[in-house]
Amino acid sequence: MAIKTEPFILNMGPQHPSTHGVFRMRVTLDGEVVVDLEPVIGYLHRGIEKLGETRTYTQIIPLTDRLDYVASMTNNLAYVLAVEKLTGIEIPERGEYLRIIMAETMRISSHLMAVGFFLNDLGAMMTPVLYMWREREKLLDLYEMVCGQRLTYNYMRIGGVSHDVPEEFLPALKKWVAEMPRFIDEYDQLLSQNEILLARTKGVCILPKETAVNIAASGPVLRASGVKWDLRKADPYSIYDRFDFEIPVGAVGDNYDRYWVRMQEMRQSVCILEQAIAQLPEGEVCAKVPQLLRPPVGEVYGHIEAPKGELGFYLVSDNSIAPYRFHIRPPTLINLTALKDMVVGWKVADLIITFGSIDVCLGEIDR
Amino acid sequence: MTTALNCEQVAKKIAKAVPGAVVAADKASVVAKSESLYQVAEFLKNTPAFDFDYLTNLTAVDYMDYFEVVYHLISLKHNHSLVLKTRCRDRDKPVVPSVVSLWRSADFQEREIYDLMGISFDGHPNLKRLLLWEGFVGHPLRRDYL
Amino acid sequence: MEVERYPMIPSNEIDAAEGLMINSMMAASQHPIPDPDSWLDEELSRNVLITTVDYVLDWARSRSVFPLMFGLACCAFEMIGTAASRFDIARFGMDIFRWSPRQADLMIVAGTLTWKMAPAVKLVYEQMAEPKWVIAMGQCTISGGPFRESYSVVPGINRIVPVDVYVPGCPPRPEGLLHGIRKIHEKIVKESIQKA
């Protein structure tokens, strides 16, 4: 008996529990198996690039906060480094070390969120998220001590950071860093050998090495596929060449590798933090920069290793107080090109977790 | 450290392989003619000395006389980088060849440039608006919008 | 097994239809919808007799509101933070964030609303059953926020849905959101008195 089947288009619409923001996918299904996928984005397009052309260089810094809102200070850092590359400003030592401390704590916070929501998608409803949020709340208290905000910090300035840390900050940070390895071990013990996690993510939705390089993936997605490329080692910015750390690289490029790379990167970040706190010097935190900065005519592309990948800013200046062109290179939009390749042939449930393992942030994709 | 290649020497090598393609080459970038952009890109990707397999960033700038499309290329093996540019003088219907068949990272980035700047990419499999909706009038990132 | 492929609507047509809907919504939402704030009028409550049953029902309704998760952007993270263990929204009876609008009564819109997303918000609001309330969380929902001059941002969600409580901040602290929720509780009790 011939059974008549037809493919079915499912719209996983902008408001959906597992889309990590307002993301829409039109998935063509044959039964439960994914045949085709078309991502539709733009539901959070706020026109930040156009707004940047009418604001001064310092006024753009709060706008960059709202790009990847899970790790806001890294966006600030990328933008400020690009402007400093254009103008050639020297940053005082204490400012550099404070920036590294903030960037690495943000990396840990972002990876905690990524792993927590990845497990949420797998079906462990909110429990890992609440465990990871416990550490994040302690970190948010530290940030509130420094700059008064919990989510969109606006702490970096062109030439350094906006103000020095209070006295209570360093002892509290040392305590947090000392406790962190124990918590990462706790999460590792609970999660990494869990049967359900292994069965559902090992060997699922593999991204081969050549495809990953061809689509210019970056960050944990690229490293999980076996390519050892990390901008902190390949093209060191700020003072990363003074620290001693390793780059975890995955073997196969399946969902489990993307999760494993993030857990290992958290351990490496703790290592960098211990070194940075030990070496922190005294001194000024910000160079003397005019309030209305006029960089020389030219263009620059400054990029850093953000938690989600390579975040780049392309600035064109015509010696006026606002940039002529302000372009953001979003890591997650480029990583999203891989989604169709990874998911075709697998089931809907695998689609959800693969999307979670890429770790998107819609603020950055749509800008 | 990623070394930025000396663009004047790269321009000479490109001119030998694809004659007549290079328009200008200063210290920072190589400017190629838009008609021969695809051949130049193919040469840069496939030559073992260059081996540019990673297209980091694709963007466009609107200088009022012309549009400039900028490609930032990196080679993961040799750890060097290059900036390739091309210009397009037509304001009403600007067309530039697409490099999607060489580097798939250009897929979404070219669609975004089409959406926000209005530059069409010849050879792109699915050129339609990405961030704004169908029926939106105009291209917002042009300097003469609003 | 024979697989017959039926022709499906091509995605270009779906996009064009969506575009038409967004353009027509943009044209129709030029003025803000007035806020339903008649419950603040003190005089009214003194002239109306209510029964004890009504009062108990309203009190019970206000203490177990089911919120709808409508996090769009950065404010969504502070909303999740309010639901997490430190600021614990569950002590107000709201611990399960419903994902389906049919099962929720309070829609907390958190994050910037763009014109492309506006039809979805309207649709979700219309799918919620009466009685329903809306909290506008964060600057972007109140007035467009830092992105007000942009070409694609709705200057305040009160162009699309009527709003009951506005919680300012960028993003508001979880304590701020909890204060807004307490105001909603007051409103739920007083509004029913007024309607009786």
Side-chain angles (χ1 to χ4, degrees):
Chain A
M1 184 174 73
I3 306 175
K4 206 162 62 180
T5 64
E6 59 184 57
F8 170 69
I9 294 189
L10 182 69
N11 176 45
M12 301 185 90
Q15 198 244 353
H16 190 273
S18 69
T19 52
H20 296 264
V22 282
F23 176 73
R24 182 173 169 202
M25 291 187 269
R26 280 199 277 257
V27 186
T28 311
L29 295 171
D30 183 14
E32 184 90 10
V33 174
V34 175
V35 167
D36 192 12
L37 181 125
E38 190 197 336
V40 181
I41 58 176
Y43 291 93
L44 197 59
H45 177 66
R46 299 173 275 200
I48 293 185
E49 296 190 358
K50 184 84 184 174
L51 283 176
E53 290 173 13
T54 51
R55 300 200 181 190
T56 67
Y57 285 89
T58 317
Q59 282 175 335
I60 293 178
I61 300 178
L63 280 183
T64 59
D65 259 332
R66 275 111 183 124
L67 286 173
D68 175 11
Y69 33 82
V70 186
S72 323
M73 274 202 252
T74 357
N75 309 337
N76 288 351
L77 178 63
Y79 170 69
V80 162
L81 279 174
V83 176
E84 284 159 8
K85 203 165 156 186
L86 186 60
T87 53
I89 298 176
E90 289 277 325
I91 303 149
E93 285 286 306
R94 190 173 167 89
E96 294 266 32
Y97 275 94
L98 282 175
R99 280 182 176 181
I100 301 281
I101 290 176
M102 294 300 162
E104 291 305 317
T105 43
M106 290 260 63
R107 192 181 306 271
I108 297 179
S109 159
S110 172
H111 283 327
L112 281 173
M113 281 298 98
V115 172
F117 283 111
F118 172 65
L119 284 155
N120 202 16
D121 286 340
L122 267 172
M125 273 310 285
M126 289 311 270
T127 310
V129 176
L130 291 178
Y131 267 72
M132 314 247 168
W133 208 279
R134 183 183 57 182
E135 300 318 306
R136 190 163 185 256
E137 282 285 338
K138 291 183 195 154
L139 197 56
L140 294 184
D141 274 342
L142 287 173
Y143 291 144
E144 209 181 331
M145 218 190 276
V146 172
C147 54
Q149 249 283 20
R150 284 166 49 101
L151 199 74
T152 49
Y153 311 101
N154 192 19
Y155 182 56
M156 311 270 170
R157 293 283 182 274
I158 301 171
V161 292
S162 83
H163 44 259
D164 204 350
V165 292
E167 291 159 1
E168 311 86 51
F169 178 74
L170 269 179
L173 180 66
K174 278 187 199 154
K175 183 162 165 254
W176 186 84
V177 170
E179 287 175 349
M180 207 46 208
R182 180 172 73 89
F183 285 121
I184 301 180
D185 285 334
E186 184 186 339
Y187 302 143
D188 226 350
Q189 199 189 7
L190 282 172
L191 299 170
S192 297
Q193 298 303 318
N194 185 320
E195 285 170 11
I196 300 180
L197 180 76
L198 288 175
R200 281 198 67 186
T201 58
K202 270 267 183 210
V204 173
C205 299
I206 296 177
L207 181 66
K209 208 188 215 177
E210 296 75 27
T211 319
V213 171
N214 196 262
I215 60 165
S218 53
V221 175
L222 182 67
R223 290 194 280 280
S225 294
V227 181
K228 192 164 182 161
W229 177 258
D230 185 330
L231 284 175
R232 294 176 290 172
K233 289 274 194 198
D235 191 8
Y237 52 92
S238 195
I239 47 169
Y240 270 105
D241 39 7
R242 295 188 206 172
F243 299 115
D244 187 26
F245 60 98
E246 283 163 17
I247 304 171
V249 174
V252 177
D254 54 11
N255 286 340
Y256 185 77
D257 274 340
R258 286 186 277 274
Y259 153 81
W260 181 86
V261 163
R262 289 195 175 102
M263 294 295 280
Q264 298 306 313
E265 276 189 12
M266 282 201 270
R267 288 185 207 273
Q268 295 303 318
S269 289
V270 169
C271 193
I272 298 178
L273 274 174
E274 284 163 0
Q275 294 169 44
I277 296 174
Q279 296 174 18
L280 183 66
E282 299 294 327
E284 293 274 314
V285 292
C286 191
K288 295 269 175 292
V289 165
Q291 225 173 17
L292 282 180
L293 182 69
R294 281 178 195 268
V297 174
E299 60 181 45
V300 73
Y301 176 65
H303 54 183
I304 70 160
E305 183 77 24
K308 296 184 162 56
E310 176 187 335
L311 175 64
F313 280 85
Y314 177 69
L315 288 165
V316 175
S317 146
D318 58 350
N319 201 22
S320 70
I321 57 176
Y324 186 81
R325 174 83 168 102
F326 169 63
H327 173 75
I328 306 159
R329 187 258 190 215
T332 35
L333 177 65
I334 318 276
N335 287 352
L336 204 62
T337 327
L339 185 63
K340 185 175 162 178
D341 278 65
M342 288 198 269
V343 164
V344 167
W346 295 93
K347 298 198 164 56
V348 175
D350 301 320
L351 162 67
I352 308 281
I353 32 175
T354 310
F355 185 62
S357 77
I358 300 182
D359 187 22
V360 296
C361 181
L362 262 296
E364 195 172 53
I365 290 183
D366 285 339
R367 278 156 285 150
Chain B
M1 196 71 200
T2 307
T3 43
L5 287 179
N6 185 339
C7 295
E8 276 144 23
Q9 290 174 354
V10 175
K12 285 194 198 117
K13 291 203 180 115
I14 298 177
K16 259 191 275 180
V18 187
V22 178
V23 167
D26 56 10
K27 242 177 19 183
S29 59
V30 176
V31 185
K33 254 201 286 221
S34 60
E35 293 85 20
S36 33
L37 177 73
Y38 189 82
Q39 285 92 335
V40 174
E42 211 173 10
F43 169 70
L44 286 172
K45 185 178 177 199
N46 295 335
T47 319
F50 291 134
D51 208 8
F52 283 114
D53 49 358
Y54 196 82
L55 173 68
T56 309
N57 185 27
L58 212 187
T59 184
V61 190
D62 181 9
Y63 299 104
M64 294 302 289
D65 309 321
Y66 55 90
F67 287 112
E68 191 169 78
V69 183
V70 183
Y71 301 78
H72 285 90
L73 299 161
I74 292 185
S75 163
L76 295 187
K77 199 163 101 186
H78 305 287
N79 203 4
H80 54 224
S81 70
L82 182 73
V83 181
L84 177 68
K85 293 187 188 178
T86 182
R87 294 189 183 149
C88 181
R89 295 206 176 253
D90 194 352
R91 198 111 184 130
D92 291 319
K93 275 195 185 356
V95 178
V96 168
S98 163
V99 294
V100 170
S101 45
L102 293 172
W103 298 291
R104 274 184 53 205
S105 65
D107 190 354
F108 283 163
Q109 301 191 75
E110 284 180 352
R111 273 178 70 181
E112 183 199 331
I113 298 176
Y114 168 68
D115 188 4
L116 299 175
M117 283 267 191
I119 303 176
S120 304
F121 287 89
D122 188 21
H124 193 284
N126 187 19
L127 195 68
K128 53 180 186 173
R129 284 195 183 262
L130 187 74
L131 296 171
L132 293 168
W133 57 94
E134 286 302 318
F136 186 89
V137 172
H139 298 283
L141 230 51
R142 291 194 176 183
R143 293 297 280 194
D144 50 4
Y145 180 86
L146 263 183
Chain C
M1 180 165 49
E2 272 295 313
V3 175
E4 280 181 47
R5 306 257 155 189
Y6 285 88
M8 293 175 279
I9 310 174
S11 56
N12 291 341
E13 281 182 36
I14 305 179
D15 284 335
E18 191 192 3
L20 278 174
M21 185 164 48
I22 296 171
N23 281 343
S24 64
M25 179 163 255
M26 250 175 101
S29 317
Q30 291 299 319
H31 302 285
I33 302 174
D35 301 327
D37 56 1
S38 54
W39 64 284
L40 292 167
D41 194 359
E42 289 292 323
E43 304 260 338
L44 215 55
S45 54
R46 271 185 257 133
N47 292 342
V48 173
L49 282 171
I50 52 153
T51 63
T52 323
V53 176
D54 271 338
Y55 181 72
V56 169
L57 273 175
D58 298 327
W59 178 89
R61 183 183 281 159
S62 75
R63 289 324 187 249
S64 88
V65 180
F66 283 172
L68 173 70
M69 180 79 127
F70 214 90
L72 299 167
C74 347
C75 281
F77 268 78
E78 286 294 49
M79 189 163 67
I80 300 174
T82 318
S85 24
R86 188 178 182 184
F87 295 103
D88 203 16
I89 209 173
R91 55 195 162 127
F92 297 98
M94 298 166 77
D95 60 345
I96 328 171
F97 271 80
R98 315 306 307 185
W99 280 103
S100 164
R102 305 272 184 207
Q103 300 164 358
D105 4 52
L106 173 69
M107 181 160 91
I108 306 182
V109 183
T112 320
L113 185 66
T114 57
W115 285 114
K116 197 167 178 182
M117 188 66 189
V121 174
K122 184 100 189 143
L123 189 65
V124 167
Y125 180 73
E126 280 164 6
Q127 284 180 340
M128 283 166 71
E130 287 283 346
K132 54 191 174 186
W133 300 276
V134 176
I135 290 185
M137 178 179 177
Q139 282 308 118
C140 294
T141 50
I142 300 177
S143 68
F147 309 104
R148 193 188 166 91
E149 308 104 38
S150 171
Y151 47 84
S152 65
V153 167
V154 179
I157 63 166
N158 58 2
R159 299 275 181 113
I160 313 283
V161 292
V163 177
D164 296 297
V165 168
Y166 296 90
V167 180
C170 192
R173 282 192 61 112
E175 289 99 331
L177 180 61
L178 288 174
H179 182 71
I181 287 174
R182 297 276 298 154
K183 284 279 177 210
I184 282 276
H185 287 174
E186 271 178 43
K187 174 170 187 178
I188 294 175
V189 176
K190 278 195 184 159
E191 196 176 46
S192 315
I193 296 174
Q194 182 224 332
K195 273 190 193 143

